[in-house]
């Protein structure tokens, strides 16, 4: 591992072009997470992966990607909706709640691309936030690495993280980044979202934006509004996306007695 880290130091010191279409991961991290998807509910266990290259990185749920591949294959074979759902459940594949992907330093250095699925594929770009980390007391060991502690607030949530300077990649789970080492553990103050590295490995996988989908461009706030509208009435939302005209029957079908409130990781004004 020490030889790998030395090679990593040499690699990240190379000059990076401003625009990067794809990259090759130098290190990949698997995070076990406890994520509260809805207000008032218990957290769900989800595994995420971070692929970090010389110029860009990608954070995503591998099992969700497998889910999409299975769904695409079944749809191509003209399977009906219930068949798709039954097979997905039998394979214990996750739903759309884990569908988001974060690309850092894409399409340009200093910018971030976020994609998600809410009955349709959405995409937005934004500048990578200046988090202004504050060092904290409380060093720890995570996944076998000595880690330092720091905290910062991002759009309404205070995050505490532990990062290792043994892997000098200024990256981490979700949108967290900007410390002099890779973030291996992160938790928000209310413990709605917790990420902890369970495996760190030398990598060589390709990092590239998934351009096989047709994305609807939006702003971060517009996407958060879509989350809320979808949970107010999932069937009503699907009717709207499909262009079905409102009538007494569709309105009756669209009513949801106990709509859920999404637990948001950040709050856009």
């Amino acid at each position: 591992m020490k030889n790998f880290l030395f090679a990593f130091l040499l690699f990240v010191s190379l000059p990076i072009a401003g625009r990067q279409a794809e990259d090759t991961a130098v290190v990949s991290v698997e995070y076990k997470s406890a994520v509260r998807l809805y207000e008032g509910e218990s957290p769900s266990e989800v595994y995420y992966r971070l692929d970090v290259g010389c110029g860009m990185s990608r954070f995503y749920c591998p099992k969700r990607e497998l889910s999409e591949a299975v769904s695409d294959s079944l749809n191509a074979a003209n399977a009906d909706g219930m068949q798709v759902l039954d097979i997905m459940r039998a394979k214990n594949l996750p739903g759309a709640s884990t569908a988001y992907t974060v690309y850092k330093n894409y399409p340009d250095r200093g910018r971030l691309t976020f994609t998600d699925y809410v009955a349709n594929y959405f995409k937005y770009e934004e500048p990578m936030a200046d988090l202004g980390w504050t060092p904290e007391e409380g060093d720890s060991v995570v996944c076998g690495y000595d880690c330092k502690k720091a905290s910062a607030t991002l759009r309404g949530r205070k995050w505490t993280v532990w990062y290792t300077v043994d892997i000098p990649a200024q990256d981490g789970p979700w949108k967290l980044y900007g410390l002099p080492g890779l973030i291996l553990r992160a938790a928000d103050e209310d413990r709605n979202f917790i990420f902890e590295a369970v495996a760190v490995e030398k990598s060589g996988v390709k990092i590239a934006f998934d351009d096989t989908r047709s994305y609807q461009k939006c702003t971060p706030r517009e996407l958060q509004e879509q989350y809320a509208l979808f949970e107010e009435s999932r069937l009503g939302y699907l009717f709207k996306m499909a262009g079905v005209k409102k009538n007494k029957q569709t309105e009756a079908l669209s009513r949801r007695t106990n709509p859920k409130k999404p637990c948001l990781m950040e709050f856009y004004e």
Side-chain angles (χ1 to χ4, degrees), residues 62-263:
K63 201 169 184 180
R64 169 61 194 177
E65 293 206 334
L66 175 60
S67 175
E68 289 185 335
V70 171
S71 178
D72 288 346
S73 177
L74 291 170
N75 288 329
N78 295 318
D80 65 45
M82 290 308 299
Q83 285 179 309
V84 173
L85 288 174
D86 288 343
I87 293 171
M88 302 281 270
R89 291 192 186 106
K91 292 179 176 289
N92 193 30
L93 293 173
S97 55
T98 58
Y100 76 82
T101 300
V102 180
Y103 301 86
K104 297 191 191 83
N105 290 312
Y106 179 86
D108 298 293
R109 193 156 184 81
R111 291 192 65 79
L112 174 153
T113 298
F114 186 96
T115 67
D116 206 348
Y117 181 84
V118 190
N120 192 13
Y121 289 94
F122 289 87
K123 176 183 80 168
Y124 67 75
E125 296 176 16
E126 64 179 356
M128 292 168 63
D130 183 1
L131 293 170
W133 294 101
T134 300
E136 303 277 2
E137 296 291 330
D139 293 355
S140 185
V141 176
V142 182
C143 204
Y145 289 88
D146 292 330
C147 292
K148 298 179 181 296
K149 186 178 179 182
S151 65
T153 298
L154 176 59
R155 300 188 187 97
R157 287 200 185 276
K158 182 179 179 181
W159 290 86
T160 300
V161 305
W162 287 260
Y163 65 97
T164 178
V165 295
D166 290 338
I167 306 177
Q170 296 187 27
D171 216 317
W174 186 54
K175 297 182 179 182
L176 304 176
Y177 84 105
L179 286 160
L182 190 63
I183 297 171
L184 297 182
R185 181 191 293 154
D188 75 299
E189 189 173 33
D190 299 320
R191 299 186 69 79
N192 287 315
F193 306 98
I194 303 170
F195 301 92
E196 179 154 357
V198 293
V200 180
E201 61 185 12
K202 182 180 179 181
S203 188
V205 301
K206 180 181 176 181
I207 305 173
F209 181 74
D210 180 8
D211 58 4
T212 63
R213 307 291 179 185
S214 179
Y215 295 96
Q216 181 175 326
K217 292 183 179 181
C218 63
T219 66
R221 184 176 179 180
E222 286 170 345
L223 182 54
Q224 290 195 344
E225 290 171 351
Q226 296 303 310
Y227 296 149
L229 289 170
F230 181 68
E231 294 304 337
E232 281 176 13
S233 172
R234 292 188 177 187
L235 195 54
Y237 185 90
L238 293 173
F239 283 151
K240 182 179 179 181
M241 294 294 289
V244 176
K245 292 183 178 180
K246 281 186 178 182
N247 56 47
K248 289 183 178 180
Q249 185 179 12
T250 59
E251 287 185 357
L253 289 170
S254 299
R255 292 193 193 100
R256 192 172 186 185
T257 54
N258 296 302
K260 296 182 179 182
K261 183 179 180 182
C263 188

